[in-house]
Amino acid sequence: MKNILVTGGAGFIGSNFVRYLLKNYEDIRIVNLDLLTYAGNLDNLSDVSNDSRYSFCRGDIHDRALVEQLFDRYGFDTVVNFAAESHVDRSIANPDIFLTTNVMGTLTLLDVAKRHWKLDPDDKYSREFKEGVKYLQVSTDEVYGALGETGMFTETTPLAPNSPYSASKASADLVVRSYDKTYGMPVNITRCSNNYGPYQFPEKLIPLMINNCLNGKPLPVYGDGMQIRDWLYVEDHCAAIAAVLEKGRLGEVYNIGGNNERANIEIVKLIIHDTGRSEELIEHVRDRPGHDRRYAIDNTKITSELGWSPKYTFQTGMASTVEWYLHHRDWMDKIVSGEYMKYYEKMYANNALS
Ligand code: NAD
Ligand code: TYD
């Protein structure tokens, strides 16, 4: 049985990942450690919250005593770290929390896992770890910086992050790397392109545009809207992470992407079309400072080594995404009204283990 600590499991990708594991693996135990920041939402997991293989703990990955307590109690053999501050625009306004959570939080998880997994934790020269343990860091293609009109990111592309968000993710990747090189800790790093799908917080491009279309509000396109992202349906990302957990060679980085490069304006127009709105809603606004022009992932390593490939095309993924948001307007309205934040403050006031 796999005994997994998933962090950030109440966020967009983490909640899809928890659901993916419960659906596809019988013999599994998952503890979801999530601080429930503005981006964490237990509604994302309401359909699986009573599953006996799953439990939730509200807390901070940077809280060493709590992480120790969870390791002592559950004896995890696997950590998948999704927990992060994840929005570039917020990182431009307030970088501090990005460094604290994304770098120091990652260090805390790594260090507690090392102490629990090393056969002789007190011998600084020993590189022996328990059989079958693994720490997986969920990272992003943004650590590679921006591309020009041609080329793709491979796993050996030098790190050149441009935003405080991507700088914090790149820093965390380097700390993970150091735990492999220095201590021999079994780790993997995955670097995925932009995700879309159900349960994405409506500050990100696709759910924001869907929500604004549904409410007839202006659609704020940064600059000329010709920035390019390589979009992947979230379930395909989850399957890729599961493949790396099972088969990824220790110490390796795996890029994850679906060969789906689209300009932002193309996506906005598609959403306008799918929701029956008018292009008159488009409003070109001032560009994001330091805005990366283009991302593209070369996924050769993961497809050839691990046999993973995306199941969704952009057409099927977007169709199911728009349909999901159309059928879950309550979910969106609750977030936008801020009602769920008040609810969680009351419910989980004292960081208690569930
Ligand atoms: P998200 O913002 O939707 O979710 C982040 C989750 O982490 C939230 O539930 C939040 O409550 C939790 N969290 C934040 N700080 C915490 C802390 N200190 N302790 C415990 N929990 C904390 O983000 P997402 O889009 O689901 O991204 C998840 C991960 O995947 C991130 O590490 C991100 O960098 C990475 N990633 C995201 C994308 C994307 O397109 N969204 C692409 C590639 C990689
Ligand atoms: P976002 O979803 O924030 O992801 P990231 O910045 O991590 O790629 O943004 C995706 C693209 O959409 C990015 O080029 C910025 C752009 N964008 C807009 O044009 N308008 C918006 O309101 C938002 C949120 C993003």
Side-chain angles (χ1 to χ4, degrees):
M1 183 180 86
K2 276 281 167 212
N3 190 357
I4 306 187
L5 174 62
V6 172
T7 69
F12 163 48
I13 307 173
S15 62
N16 278 285
F17 184 69
V18 167
R19 186 174 296 100
Y20 179 88
L21 288 183
L22 291 172
K23 190 171 153 206
N24 292 287
Y25 297 82
E26 201 52 50
D27 203 14
I28 201 159
R29 154 146 213 106
I30 302 167
V31 174
N32 171 13
L33 171 62
D34 194 299
L35 188 56
L36 299 180
T37 66
Y38 78 94
N41 181 356
L42 286 183
D43 282 353
N44 297 359
L45 288 166
S46 53
D47 54 330
V48 297
S49 60
N50 291 326
D51 192 307
S52 58
R53 297 168 297 164
Y54 168 80
S55 36
F56 173 72
C57 172
R58 185 180 190 183
D60 192 336
I61 57 167
H62 188 29
D63 179 346
R64 186 173 179 117
L66 174 64
V67 178
E68 288 276 7
Q69 207 183 332
L70 290 174
F71 264 85
D72 284 340
R73 180 161 160 186
Y74 294 103
F76 306 116
D77 52 41
T78 307
V79 175
V80 184
N81 182 26
F82 291 94
E85 289 293 332
S86 69
H87 192 41
V88 173
D89 293 322
R90 287 183 191 252
S91 82
I92 294 167
N94 181 20
D96 296 40
I97 187 66
F98 283 73
L99 274 289
T100 304
T101 291
N102 300 1
V103 185
M104 297 309 291
T106 295
L107 176 65
T108 304
L109 292 172
L110 280 166
D111 208 59
V112 175
K114 171 170 80 72
R115 211 182 67 74
H116 282 258
W117 291 347
K118 228 178 123 162
L119 289 183
D120 185 353
D122 298 324
D123 176 2
K124 86 170 184 184
Y125 296 102
S126 156
R127 295 171 65 83
E128 301 291 311
F129 279 74
K130 288 181 186 164
E131 267 303 304
V133 299
K134 186 181 274 190
Y135 176 96
L136 191 149
Q137 177 74 1
V138 180
S139 187
T140 163
D141 61 355
E142 301 192 27
V143 298
Y144 298 121
L147 291 165
E149 281 180 14
T150 57
M152 289 178 140
F153 299 132
T154 70
E155 288 79 0
T156 55
T157 301
L159 303 187
N162 292 320
S163 72
Y165 162 66
S166 53
S168 70
K169 293 296 290 186
S171 306
D173 285 10
L174 295 179
V175 180
V176 175
R177 176 191 152 92
S178 77
Y179 269 62
D180 166 34
K181 300 294 176 197
T182 302
Y183 306 112
M185 183 149 153
V187 303
N188 281 125
I189 297 172
T190 57
R191 296 189 180 134
C192 191
S193 57
N194 283 61
N195 284 215
Y196 66 100
Y199 302 105
Q200 187 166 27
F201 197 84
E203 66 188 353
K204 304 280 166 61
L205 179 76
I206 289 179
L208 184 144
M209 295 298 170
I210 294 174
N211 188 43
N212 285 13
C213 276
L214 293 178
N215 293 296
K217 294 204 317 214
L219 308 175
V221 172
Y222 298 164
D224 63 2
M226 290 306 293
Q227 301 84 2
I228 289 173
R229 300 290 182 263
D230 180 355
W231 294 92
L232 185 71
Y233 191 64
V234 63
E235 199 180 307
D236 282 327
H237 185 189
C238 295
I241 293 172
V244 174
L245 271 185
E246 279 184 19
K247 301 181 270 184
R249 283 183 297 129
L250 297 180
E252 293 293 316
V253 174
Y254 291 91
N255 282 355
I256 304 171
N259 294 319
N260 250 313
E261 287 183 52
R262 309 277 159 175
N264 295 338
I265 193 73
E266 183 191 342
I267 292 181
V268 172
K269 287 183 178 169
L270 180 84
I271 293 170
I272 291 171
H273 178 264
D274 285 357
T275 52
R277 292 287 170 175
S278 152
E279 288 187 14
E280 280 172 21
L281 285 179
I282 294 175
E283 197 171 83
H284 286 271
V285 298
R286 235 179 129 178
D287 207 352
R288 173 189 277 172
H291 199 168
D292 287 337
R293 194 69 181 168
R294 175 171 167 261
Y295 303 141
I297 281 274
D298 179 340
N299 67 10
T300 308
K301 183 172 174 180
I302 189 167
T303 53
S304 60
E305 254 187 41
L306 306 187
W308 170 87
S309 61
K311 292 207 162 39
Y312 288 81
T313 63
F314 191 66
Q315 285 68 26
T316 56
M318 274 306 282
S320 82
T321 300
V322 173
E323 191 181 309
W324 188 87
Y325 285 98
L326 284 172
H327 287 98
H328 292 80
R329 291 188 74 164
D330 286 4
W331 179 88
M332 185 70 93
D333 291 346
K334 231 168 135 183
I335 289 173
V336 174
S337 74
E339 188 190 316
Y340 85 102
M341 288 297 287
K342 286 182 226 143
Y343 169 76
Y344 292 131
E345 284 316 318
K346 252 199 238 155
M347 273 301 276
Y348 297 97
N350 52 6
N351 273 17
L353 289 174
S354 64

